[in-house]
Amino acid sequence: MKEGLELKRFRGLRVAREDCESLLKFLRERSLLVKGARFKRDGLWIIVPVERQLKDEEKASLNSSGIKFEDTEDEFEIQEARPSSLHEFLAEKLPPHLLASVPRSYDLIGEIVVLELPEELKEHGKLIGEAAMKINKGARLVLNKISDISGTFRIGGYEVIAGEGPTETVHREHGCVYKLDPTKVFFTPRLSTERVRVASQVRRGETVADLFAGVGPFSILIAKKVQDVKVYSVDKNPSAFKYLVENIKLNHVDEKVSAILGDAAEVAAKNLKGRCSRIIMNLPAGSELFLEAASNALLREGGIVHMHIFVNRYEKVGERISALEERFRRLGWGTVEALNVRIIREVGTRSYHVASDVRLADR
């Protein structure tokens, strides 16, 4: 222990080093990390201090993602507290009515912070951007999202509010590296846990179609984690395709991942028909328009379709999923079962990003 540091006893989670990043992402999303407490190393394990014991459903979620952990208690070093959020950093720099509008969350993509400021904070963008850079020591650029993600290529509008340099960056996640430009392609680190969960389900020897692959975060992670797997990664955005090809090489998965530039429906019908045991449909704003594409790419005996959809907060998730199952039945599948239905995240103030693993058979 360093001289002068206080020791305090907390609950902890003992996790394998290779799973630590995924666990920390999960805990941060739920504000479960003990602020100011340092992690401990125990050989190949890391002990992470947590605010409380995990609930059964939280443990089940981690287990389903393939994250190995153990409950424990231990003494942890407490370091001097420093502002850990934009709210704390800006508490004395903005009046209360404006401070209340400061974003509670943002994305850190490589060296780039991406946030979304409401209209009343636009004139304070430089101040907020500089605060974001000071909190995130590795950040060199802050982007403010000024228009929603939309269109065929799933990109939004952004403006630089702090820092300098190109908008291209390299993002590291679960032992993979992804070169990308968030102003030209869709990418969110908020699906990090979902990517691990899906990859943990893929079995040796499977053929997978990632129909809206983007820069490759699902495809490449699967290729890195699973032996003798073949992944077809499809995207129609030329910029995403360029980065996808480069990322396949950067991660040394050339023999496992094939990049295809094109429309998902056309590729599924012509190139992938009846070849795949598993389909990834990470296009929540439009995946339901491509159910026939997923069906075409699946093996005759069926397989799993990882569906992602947006559900309006005034809709019932169960009803939307039931309607989805019925549409697959109309495509000729005798067995349709939506498994592991879950809300991944809130999107804005009006909808949820919902995912389900749909098992299809008996066509």
Side-chain angles (χ1 to χ4, degrees):
M1 185 179 77
K2 292 184 179 180
E3 186 176 351
L5 287 180
E6 180 185 1
L7 281 178
K8 281 192 176 181
R9 193 167 190 84
F10 295 103
R11 290 184 179 276
L13 296 176
R14 190 168 178 265
V15 62
R17 189 178 298 175
E18 62 269 21
D19 290 331
C20 190
E21 181 181 345
S22 301
L23 177 67
L24 292 178
K25 172 74 174 174
F26 181 90
L27 296 173
R28 287 187 180 114
E29 288 173 348
R30 292 156 178 80
S31 300
L32 290 177
L33 285 175
V34 177
K35 292 182 179 179
R38 295 189 172 192
F39 306 161
K40 297 185 72 171
R41 294 185 180 272
D42 181 12
L44 297 177
W45 296 80
I46 306 293
I47 304 175
V48 179
V50 292
E51 292 284 359
R52 58 167 171 79
Q53 186 172 6
L54 296 187
K55 299 174 183 177
D56 289 343
E57 57 267 28
E58 292 169 336
K59 292 181 179 180
S61 179
L62 286 173
N63 286 329
S64 70
S65 298
I67 299 172
K68 302 178 181 66
F69 67 95
E70 300 172 359
D71 289 310
T72 186
E73 280 193 19
D74 212 323
E75 290 187 330
F76 298 88
E77 296 178 357
I78 305 299
Q79 53 194 353
E80 184 179 353
R82 63 181 180 86
S84 59
S85 70
L86 288 176
H87 277 254
E88 289 182 28
F89 198 94
L90 296 167
E92 297 182 2
K93 296 179 174 64
L94 288 174
H97 71 283
L98 289 180
L99 188 65
S101 298
V102 172
R104 294 281 179 180
S105 63
Y106 51 82
D107 291 339
L108 181 60
I109 302 175
E111 306 164 301
I112 300 177
V113 175
V114 180
L115 45 71
E116 186 171 4
L117 298 179
E119 190 62 37
E120 62 268 25
L121 289 178
K122 293 292 176 64
E123 63 181 274
H124 302 281
K126 188 173 188 295
L127 172 67
I128 296 169
E130 290 173 348
M133 290 187 66
K134 289 178 180 177
I135 292 170
N136 299 278
K137 295 299 184 184
R140 63 167 175 79
L141 193 69
V142 182
L143 298 178
N144 177 41
K145 183 179 172 185
I146 55 176
S147 65
D148 290 339
I149 290 171
S150 62
T152 304
F153 296 156
R154 297 188 291 168
I155 54 177
Y158 300 89
E159 62 177 358
V160 176
I161 58 173
E164 58 185 16
T167 51
E168 184 177 87
T169 188
V170 175
H171 183 79
R172 290 174 170 79
E173 181 180 285
H174 308 305
C176 304
V177 294
Y178 305 112
K179 183 181 284 190
L180 64 109
D181 184 335
T183 69
K184 297 179 180 179
V185 302
F186 172 78
F187 181 86
T188 174
R190 300 187 189 199
L191 291 182
S192 172
T193 301
E194 175 68 4
R195 290 191 269 268
V196 171
R197 195 196 67 79
V198 169
S200 71
Q201 293 187 31
V202 181
R203 296 294 172 257
R204 182 173 184 166
E206 282 200 55
T207 299
V208 180
D210 186 359
L211 292 184
F212 310 99
V215 301
F218 277 97
S219 299
I220 289 169
L221 181 61
I222 289 169
K224 296 269 273 191
K225 282 186 168 288
V226 186
Q227 291 184 338
D228 301 325
V229 71
K230 181 63 180 178
V231 186
Y232 293 98
S233 304
V234 184
D235 208 282
K236 68 186 301 182
N237 178 348
S239 294
F241 179 77
K242 176 180 79 78
Y243 285 119
L244 173 62
V245 171
E246 189 167 358
N247 290 333
I248 289 170
K249 294 177 181 177
L250 284 173
N251 289 278
H252 310 292
V253 291
D254 312 57
E255 295 183 1
K256 291 183 172 183
V257 183
S258 295
I260 302 174
L261 176 64
D263 177 78
E266 294 177 5
V267 172
K270 295 177 182 178
N271 306 72
L272 302 179
K273 191 171 181 65
R275 299 176 65 178
C276 304
S277 57
R278 190 176 300 270
I279 314 294
I280 300 170
M281 303 276 280
N282 180 30
L283 183 70
S287 62
E288 291 167 285
L289 301 175
F290 292 87
L291 302 189
E292 186 173 0
S295 293
N296 283 336
L298 274 180
L299 296 168
R300 183 74 182 177
E301 58 266 33
I304 299 292
V305 180
H306 297 285
M307 287 294 303
H308 291 254
I309 62 174
F310 285 145
V311 177
N312 189 292
R313 67 168 57 245
Y314 300 109
E315 296 179 287
K316 293 182 179 179
V317 172
E319 291 180 357
R320 281 289 302 278
I321 295 298
S322 294
L324 183 65
E325 290 176 316
E326 181 57 30
R327 291 180 63 189
F328 273 121
R329 291 189 186 95
R330 291 176 187 170
L331 290 170
W333 296 101
T335 298
V336 180
E337 186 179 10
L339 307 170
N340 304 317
V341 178
R342 62 213 172 277
I343 295 174
I344 292 182
R345 59 189 178 121
E346 285 192 53
V347 181
T349 59
R350 295 191 298 269
S351 61
Y352 298 105
H353 181 166
V354 174
S356 178
D357 310 324
V358 183
R359 186 176 73 86
L360 304 177
D362 306 321
R363 194 176 195 185

